[in-house]
């Protein structure tokens, strides 16, 4: 998995190739990861620290720019322990690319400096712009908090390195996507949104954080479908008879 990119960066770690375990017994060995991310916070439902994980395969989302050293602690079935610091540090940077800020009311309070300010309700046009993002020329679309948009048809976001998120203060931006929103690109990020409808995440190395996904009252179905490679969904909720499909 990639250990370099912009925040938030999702990374998977795999210890299934380690050797030297007593009896080569993986099932009775204890594997613990420390991602070196002291400010990762805790998981809301459990209160467990996000900086730690167990198991031969683990994943973590590095939300803040910085350089992180990942450590693996192993105890085999005979109680023999060893620690390994991964040779490749995780390097997370700030977004550097073109940004559009979209507001129905033309309110750009707290919008990031240098963004193109777009007033209007045509979210589909802005998503089409966002879908042309590429690794060499990434794009970011920020929606004004407390405002709402509706998509009249199914939309697919391809490309690479795109970010769809929010700016300002208040409630998460609300996007009506009853016909579906598909994320089929790579290294894309969706954050801090309320979605009425469904999201289908395919592609690879895509990250979704702090999403509230639901259908309208009286309907039910898949809210978030995940069928790609190295996908991350964290700190999100599905409501109103909506469920995950993996």
């Amino acid at each position: 998995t990639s250990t370099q990119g912009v925040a938030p960066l999702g990374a998977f770690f795999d210890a299934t190739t380690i050797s030297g375990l007593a009896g080569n017994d993986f099932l009775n060995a204890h594997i613990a990861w420390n991602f070196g991310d002291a400010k990762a916070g805790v998981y809301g439902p459990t209160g467990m620290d996000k900086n730690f994980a167990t198991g031969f395969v683990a994943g973590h989302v590095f939300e803040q720019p910085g350089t992180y050293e990942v450590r693996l602690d192993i105890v085999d079935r005979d109680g023999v322990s060893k620690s390994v610091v991964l040779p490749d540090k995780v390097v997370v940077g700030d977004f550097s690319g073109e940004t559009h800020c979209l507001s129905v009311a033309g309110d750009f309070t707290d919008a990031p400096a240098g963004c193109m300010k777009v007033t209007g309700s045509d979210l589909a046009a802005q998503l089409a712009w966002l879908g042309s993002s590429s690794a060499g020329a990434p794009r970011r679309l920020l929606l004004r908090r407390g405002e709402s948009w509706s998509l009249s048809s199914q939309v697919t976001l391809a490309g690479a390195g795109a970010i769809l998120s929010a700016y300002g203060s208040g409630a998460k931006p609300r996007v009506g996507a009853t016909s579906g929103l598909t994320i089929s690109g790579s290294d894309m990020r969706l954050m801090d949104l309320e979605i009425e409808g469904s999201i289908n995440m395919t592609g690879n190395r895509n990250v979704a954080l702090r999403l509230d996904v639901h259908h309208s009252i009286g309907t039910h179905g898949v809210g978030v479908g995940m069928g790609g490679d190295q996908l991350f969904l964290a700190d999100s909720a599905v409501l109103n008879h909506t469920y995950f499909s993996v």
Side-chain angles (χ1 to χ4, degrees), residues 95 97-99 101 108 110-117 140 142 167:
F95 175 81
E98 190 175 358
T99 299
C101 294
F108 299 102
D110 297 326
C115 75
M116 176 176 286
K117 300 173 181 177
R140 179 174 63 171
L142 304 180
Y167 75 93

Side-chain angles (χ1 to χ4, degrees), residues 92-216:
V92 184
D94 286 308
F95 175 81
S96 178
E98 190 175 358
T99 299
H100 283 194
C101 294
L102 180 62
S103 170
V104 174
D107 183 355
F108 299 102
T109 305
D110 297 326
C115 75
M116 176 176 286
K117 300 173 181 177
V118 181
T119 299
S121 59
D122 192 352
L123 176 59
Q126 290 300 306
L127 291 177
W129 169 83
L130 184 66
S132 296
S133 178
S134 66
R139 295 180 172 183
R140 179 174 63 171
L141 176 59
L142 304 180
L143 308 181
R144 175 69 199 179
R145 284 181 174 271
E147 296 186 355
S148 300
W149 291 263
S150 181
L151 297 171
S152 60
S153 61
Q154 196 272 344
V155 172
T156 297
L157 280 178
I163 295 177
L164 177 60
S165 188
Y167 75 93
S169 59
K172 296 175 182 177
R174 182 180 177 277
V175 176
T178 55
S179 296
L181 176 62
T182 297
I183 312 301
S184 65
S186 62
D187 199 28
M188 305 180 82
R189 294 150 178 81
L190 274 71
M191 301 175 289
D192 301 307
L193 302 172
E194 177 190 346
I195 307 291
E196 181 181 346
S198 62
I199 299 176
N200 183 31
M201 294 183 67
T202 59
N204 60 88
R205 302 192 313 276
N206 295 323
V207 176
L209 294 178
R210 297 180 295 275
L211 302 183
D212 294 334
V213 184
H214 61 89
H215 290 286
S216 58

Side-chain angles (χ1 to χ4, degrees), residues 213-225:
V213 184
H214 61 89
H215 290 286
S216 58
I217 296 175
T219 62
H220 62 86
V222 175
V224 180

Side-chain angles (χ1 to χ4, degrees), residues 10-52:
F12 280 98
F13 303 94
D14 188 342
T16 57
T17 60
I18 63 173
S19 60
L21 297 177
N24 200 32
D25 186 351
F26 281 73
L27 292 179
N28 291 301
H30 179 72
I31 307 294
W33 300 87
N34 182 328
F35 301 113
D37 188 1
K39 297 181 180 180
V42 300
Y43 291 106
T46 64
M48 296 180 66
D49 195 329
K50 296 179 182 178
N51 188 44
F52 303 103

